[in-house]
Amino acid sequence: MTSRPPQSGPAYRRLGVAERRGQLIATAQRLFARTPPEGVSLDDVAREAGVSRPLVYRYFPGGKQQLYEAALHSAAADLELCFAVPASGPFSERLAHALDRYLAFVDEHGEGFAALLRGGSVVETSRTTAVVDGVRRTAAEQVVRHLPVRHPGPRLRMAVRTWITAVEAASLIWLDEDRQPPIGELRDLLVDQFVAQLFVMAVRDGQTARVLRAAAALEPRGGRMDALADRTLTMFAPARLES
Amino acid sequence: MTSRPPQSGPAYRRLGVAERRGQLIATAQRLFARTPPEGVSLDDVAREAGVSRPLVYRYFPGGKQQLYEAALHSAAADLELCFAVPASGPFSERLAHALDRYLAFVDEHGEGFAALLRGGSVVETSRTTAVVDGVRRTAAEQVVRHLPVRHPGPRLRMAVRTWITAVEAASLIWLDEDRQPPIGELRDLLVDQFVAQLFVMAVRDGQTARVLRAAAALEPRGGRMDALADRTLTMFAPARLES
């Protein structure tokens, strides 16, 4: 009898080296998504992957720390891909597209995502911090690349980097608040926040003002930016009448 | 001769227990402000405080970890005080006041502040993270207390919490960029960002809209909020004509 009975748990399939490594990393990520790193053991990973503990050690001789770092690097690579959206269409649509991918990642990885951003506690903070900082930097660079600007100055860069952190914070708060508001509303809110961030910077920085105006000129009539402008004008008008 | 000669370095003065403890914590904070935690030794602290190493151990038997945690707790208490400004005057002025204090703290603590927010690497991440998260939570609560609202809903709370993180990010970026732009400009930028954050949330949340309108009604004519509204209207108008 070589065929295994159904429902007997995961089979010990023969996989290639890269495939097995990828499977173990994906398994670890699934576990870290449900449980903080300190609560996940190598036995859990082996059991969940349907392999022996020595096999996990053969691939990750450094044990849990090495596996955690591999899972972190793999998640970082996925995260960085979120912001690499095609360079076509109005800026606000590209941003919405990137945020859809990013929030899907957050939704899927849940608690693991939160642990990832906190640096976890089974590895050296300086090393995990470097990985997470790298993701932030790459995301900021990718966002800037979609803006009509060649050499972003310090104020424009600060606006983009601050927004990246605000996105991160908002998604952690969103997980914390039982995934409220709905994901689509959160995405629209974050796009609007980016535009608002740029507006606030534009009133004191000529370059940001030019970039914002150039980006706005490419937005469709009645699109996201028009809607925000309309709503803002409606909001500002009564506030100014009352004051 | 009981009087010490001038310029002879720190003297071994007799201090009370609380006073000595405070001196050692302040010394540690000064060292952590210049050097990352892993580069500071207990010998450095003893030398800088002008006391013996055993004396430092008598106050902090847990060694560097305990001293680091005490320095962190003390900095957290100082940070929390920044946002406890008097409840009088228009909201934007109170916020500017709180930010002046907060940015002075960042300016003074420099690298140490950055290390503090990263959790450092000589102590358990989960514990330092809890302290830093506590500061964030307190700061958010104190900001909300200055707003004309009794029971802030999830969207208003999200706007405030996201802004707190944006402030934190902006001040780390500011340190990173050799303290540019000037501190006063950074403060004004952060006040404007708060108002913008609330505006963006107000277009999709009735409570935030009411709070913003009530706060705006208390702002002086020609004050910060008017200036932002004027500049925003001027910016939006041409963007809308071009589109």
Side-chain angles (χ1 to χ4, degrees), chain B residues 136-148:
Chain B
R136 286 180 191 131
R137 208 167 27 246
T138 307
E141 280 163 13
Q142 278 163 341
V143 168
V144 166
R145 214 171 295 148
H146 289 282
L147 286 172

Side-chain angles (χ1 to χ4, degrees), chain B residues 10 57 62 72 76-77 109 115 120 125 131 137 146 155 168 174 184 212 214 220 235:
Chain B
Y57 264 109
L72 180 66
H109 287 74
T125 307
V131 173
R137 208 167 27 246
H146 289 282
R155 285 178 179 77
E168 207 178 301
W174 180 75
L212 186 59
M235 292 255 341

Side-chain angles (χ1 to χ4, degrees), chain B residues 7-46:
Chain B
Q7 313 292 337
S8 72
Y12 192 105
R13 284 200 298 126
R14 284 223 161 268
L15 298 178
V17 171
E19 209 186 343
R20 176 66 73 196
R21 205 183 126 80
Q23 182 218 14
L24 292 176
I25 289 175
T27 304
Q29 283 183 338
R30 258 201 317 282
L31 290 173
F32 290 135
R34 294 197 299 257
T35 316
E38 50 272 31
V40 176
S41 72
L42 274 196
D43 279 328
D44 297 333
V45 177

Side-chain angles (χ1 to χ4, degrees), chain B residues 212-237:
Chain B
L212 186 59
R213 219 160 275 175
L218 299 171
E219 294 285 320
R221 229 176 255 267
R224 285 171 183 283
M225 229 149 150
D226 260 7
L228 180 63
D230 280 340
R231 286 174 299 185
T232 308
L233 290 173
T234 325
M235 292 255 341
F236 262 120

Side-chain angles (χ1 to χ4, degrees), chain B residues 1-5 11:
Chain B
M1 293 264 291
T2 52
S3 68
R4 66 183 176 97

Side-chain angles (χ1 to χ4, degrees), chain B:
Chain B
M1 293 264 291
T2 52
S3 68
R4 66 183 176 97
Q7 313 292 337
S8 72
Y12 192 105
R13 284 200 298 126
R14 284 223 161 268
L15 298 178
V17 171
E19 209 186 343
R20 176 66 73 196
R21 205 183 126 80
Q23 182 218 14
L24 292 176
I25 289 175
T27 304
Q29 283 183 338
R30 258 201 317 282
L31 290 173
F32 290 135
R34 294 197 299 257
T35 316
E38 50 272 31
V40 176
S41 72
L42 274 196
D43 279 328
D44 297 333
V45 177
R47 197 179 315 116
E48 180 91 5
V51 301
S52 66
R53 189 186 155 93
L55 183 83
V56 180
Y57 264 109
R58 205 181 311 149
Y59 281 81
F60 299 95
K64 192 163 97 174
Q65 169 146 345
Q66 195 189 357
L67 185 56
Y68 182 82
E69 283 191 20
L72 180 66
H73 277 283
S74 166
D78 287 348
L79 258 179
E80 289 183 357
L81 276 181
C82 295
F83 285 89
V85 293
S88 63
F91 177 78
S92 69
E93 292 303 327
R94 298 185 205 179
L95 203 59
H97 185 181
L99 285 168
D100 277 337
R101 291 196 199 176
Y102 169 80
L103 292 172
F105 177 95
V106 174
D107 193 22
E108 188 192 330
H109 287 74
E111 277 310 305
F113 171 73
L116 174 90
L117 290 181
R118 272 188 226 113
S121 63
V122 290
V123 281
E124 275 173 48
T125 307
S126 53
R127 249 196 289 177
T128 50
T129 301
V131 173
V132 178
D133 278 350
V135 174
R136 286 180 191 131
R137 208 167 27 246
T138 307
E141 280 163 13
Q142 278 163 341
V143 168
V144 166
R145 214 171 295 148
H146 289 282
L147 286 172
V149 63
R150 227 171 242 256
H151 303 291
R155 285 178 179 77
L156 180 56
R157 276 187 285 127
M158 180 182 259
V160 174
R161 287 174 71 187
T162 306
W163 179 78
I164 293 287
T165 323
V167 168
E168 207 178 301
S171 41
L172 286 173
I173 295 167
W174 180 75
L175 287 175
D176 209 36
E177 300 262 2
D178 296 322
R179 294 176 159 76
Q180 284 300 319
I183 205 163
E185 182 183 332
L186 181 61
R187 182 218 34 225
D188 291 342
L189 174 70
L190 292 171
V191 173
D192 286 0
Q193 276 184 358
F194 185 83
V195 176
Q197 195 90 270
L198 247 51
F199 258 101
V200 164
M201 194 56 97
V203 299
R204 45 177 62 80
D205 181 49
Q207 183 186 52
T208 306
R210 282 191 300 279
V211 167
L212 186 59
R213 219 160 275 175
L218 299 171
E219 294 285 320
R221 229 176 255 267
R224 285 171 183 283
M225 229 149 150
D226 260 7
L228 180 63
D230 280 340
R231 286 174 299 185
T232 308
L233 290 173
T234 325
M235 292 255 341
F236 262 120
R240 288 174 56 70
L241 284 177
E242 281 167 26
S243 72

